[in-house]
Amino acid sequence: MARHVRNGLMIGAMALALASCGGRESLKPVAGQKLPAVPVGAATAPTAADMMDPGTQARPERNVELLTQSRQRGNDEFDLPPESRPQQ
């Protein structure tokens, strides 16, 4: 059992080391490569920060009013009882 615990700790340490090696530098284009094309209808090419910012379709604003008080539910014409089947 001690062997399983030791293997689990080693795997956990390797996962932690792997997760902590990410870069924290700002995004820059690779030397020698062209930047993305200017989108149709845009005056200038978007910057890296513009491309990383989610648009309104990716994060829509909430437009639903929250209920502040309970209300009685109205009559529902489709709320019908189940059909009774003849016994076979």
Side-chain angles (χ1 to χ4, degrees), residues 16-83:
L16 182 64
L18 182 63
S20 65
C21 68
R24 298 272 181 188
E25 297 178 10
S26 60
L27 297 175
K28 296 177 186 174
V30 177
Q33 289 190 348
K34 291 193 260 181
L35 292 174
V38 178
V40 175
T44 60
T47 64
D50 292 337
M51 290 189 278
M52 294 296 291
D53 186 33
T56 54
Q57 285 190 342
R59 298 187 110 185
E61 293 183 16
R62 185 178 190 141
N63 60 357
V64 178
E65 290 185 32
L66 297 175
L67 291 177
T68 55
Q69 295 179 353
S70 321
R71 292 185 279 190
Q72 282 288 73
R73 181 177 282 188
N75 189 18
D76 184 5
E77 61 187 84
F78 296 105
D79 186 19
L80 302 174
E83 294 181 20

